[in-house]
Amino acid sequence: MTKWLIKCDRCGTRTTLNVGFDLTSIGSKIYLYCSKCGRNTEHTVLGYYDDDTGEFVDFERALSSRYKSL
């Protein structure tokens, strides 16, 4: 599982999303339920936390093949 940092575009709440696939293949925007807004909203993918080092990798660096999360 990869921990992705996402931000709600409506209220700005940042949360982590644990998924078993690479979100860079989907793009930088996803629709998810925001508990603060109480509805499905657009979220921006900010990056992910590297499983081995714990380092945060921003979305632009994650797009390069060197930083693939899976």
Side-chain angles (χ1 to χ4, degrees), residues 5-16 29 32-39 41-46:
L5 181 64
I6 59 173
K7 182 180 85 169
C8 177
D9 290 347
R10 183 178 173 121
C11 69
T13 301
R14 292 179 181 218
T15 57
T16 56
K29 300 285 186 177
L32 292 172
Y33 180 80
C34 176
S35 58
K36 188 172 181 182
C37 295
R39 60 190 239 173
T41 59
E42 190 173 54
H43 286 71
T44 301
V45 179
L46 301 176

Side-chain angles (χ1 to χ4, degrees), residues 15-67:
T15 57
T16 56
L17 176 68
N18 292 322
V19 292
F21 55 91
D22 188 358
L23 290 181
T24 59
S25 63
I26 296 173
S28 65
K29 300 285 186 177
I30 57 175
Y31 283 90
L32 292 172
Y33 180 80
C34 176
S35 58
K36 188 172 181 182
C37 295
R39 60 190 239 173
N40 288 334
T41 59
E42 190 173 54
H43 286 71
T44 301
V45 179
L46 301 176
Y48 72 93
Y49 293 98
D50 189 291
D51 292 334
D52 297 328
T53 63
E55 172 191 11
F56 178 74
V57 178
D58 68 16
F59 187 78
E60 296 301 319
R61 280 180 41 203
L63 288 175
S64 75
S65 61
R66 180 175 173 217
Y67 291 103

